[in-house]
Amino acid sequence: MKITTAEIARTSLRLLNEVGLDGLTMRLVARELGVQAPALYWHVKNKQELLDVMTGIVLAESAEGLELPGRETPWDEWLADRLRLLRRAMLRYRDGARMMAGTHVTDPAIFRMTELALRTLGEAGFTLDVAARAFPTLLHYTIGFTIEEQARTGLAYGEAGNPYQEGRLAPTLDPERFPLTARALGSLFDADGDAGFEYGLRIILDGMRALLKED
């Protein structure tokens, strides 16, 4: 049976939703494709390289139809929309953000996304050096936030149950020793992922706006 790298990666993404990142193995992917594991190594050298290709697919999904902002679209709104699309793309897959962290992606989609982001920031008045530091900061925030968001589903705990489930954390916290933490618990572990993501995104973009004014 002849297989392609893209077919291996898409099969792996489907399996990712079933078994999670830790359960995804080259042997499992090979069995799903009806081949022996060595057949995969003609296309990807190891699991990490497989994750690289899988990540390229997810990034391409998030960047589909990507174009420069129109004249009426502010740079910060354009960036925020790009990051929301990336987060949604990662959330479509179990452990999607953890899969993406630390990968080496050479898919043209990531270079196109980066090029358009740098151009957008440059036209807004940022120097290339500042833009080249700010854009990865936004990407790292989005990936890191989504890693935590997906971890709090508690799937990794199995039958032990989700420790992040509402009401389970408060009994473990001594309010006399940690009064501020006890009072802020609802905000520290906000169950509303969308609201939490938007709040953090606003903090970073506000900082970028302030930096732009300083220059």
Side-chain angles (χ1 to χ4, degrees):
M1 176 183 176
K2 190 174 181 179
I3 54 176
T4 65
T5 303
E7 185 180 6
I8 293 169
R10 292 193 180 280
T11 298
S12 300
L13 284 169
R14 179 168 51 78
L15 288 172
L16 186 65
N17 279 334
E18 298 175 13
V19 301
L21 188 59
D22 295 331
L24 184 68
T25 65
M26 300 292 277
R27 182 176 296 178
L28 177 63
V29 176
R31 185 165 66 242
E32 186 71 12
L33 287 167
V35 299
Q36 296 297 314
L40 302 185
Y41 295 109
W42 288 99
H43 303 273
V44 287
K45 296 177 182 178
N46 49 44
K47 182 177 177 179
Q48 184 56 56
E49 193 168 294
L50 173 60
L51 297 180
D52 294 345
V53 181
M54 293 164 64
T55 293
I57 291 175
V58 177
L59 283 171
E61 289 176 354
S62 74
E64 188 174 354
L66 179 63
E67 297 293 343
L68 285 168
R71 292 182 180 180
E72 301 79 18
T73 305
W75 63 268
D76 48 353
E77 288 185 14
W78 183 86
L79 275 175
D81 283 342
R82 304 280 65 76
L83 297 165
R84 291 177 187 121
L85 288 171
L86 175 59
R87 174 172 166 258
R88 284 201 289 270
M90 291 187 289
L91 287 174
R92 282 198 287 270
Y93 302 98
R94 178 178 170 184
D95 295 331
R98 191 155 69 94
M99 172 200 71
M100 187 172 290
T103 51
H104 175 67
V105 180
T106 57
D107 189 286
I110 186 61
F111 295 126
R112 176 171 168 75
M113 182 190 299
T114 302
E115 185 72 16
L116 295 186
L118 294 177
R119 186 179 300 181
T120 298
L121 289 171
E123 292 177 355
F126 292 93
T127 66
L128 181 58
D129 182 64
V130 170
R133 293 175 183 273
F135 184 55
T137 297
L138 288 162
L139 288 178
H140 296 162
Y141 163 70
T142 303
I143 294 170
F145 181 93
T146 312
I147 287 174
E148 286 294 319
E149 183 178 15
Q150 292 187 310
R152 290 181 186 180
T153 61
L155 291 175
Y157 289 91
E159 295 181 0
N162 185 0
Y164 295 105
Q165 189 174 357
E166 187 175 356
R168 292 193 65 175
L169 186 59
T172 68
L173 177 66
D174 184 346
E176 293 187 3
R177 288 186 64 194
F178 311 109
L180 296 179
T181 303
R183 285 168 53 193
L185 202 57
S187 297
L188 287 169
F189 296 95
D190 191 350
D192 188 339
D194 291 339
F197 176 75
E198 292 294 331
Y199 193 90
L201 184 58
R202 189 180 76 187
I203 289 174
I204 298 174
L205 291 174
D206 282 351
M208 290 176 65
R209 293 187 201 100
L211 188 63
L212 189 59
K213 290 178 182 178
E214 289 177 6
D215 294 339

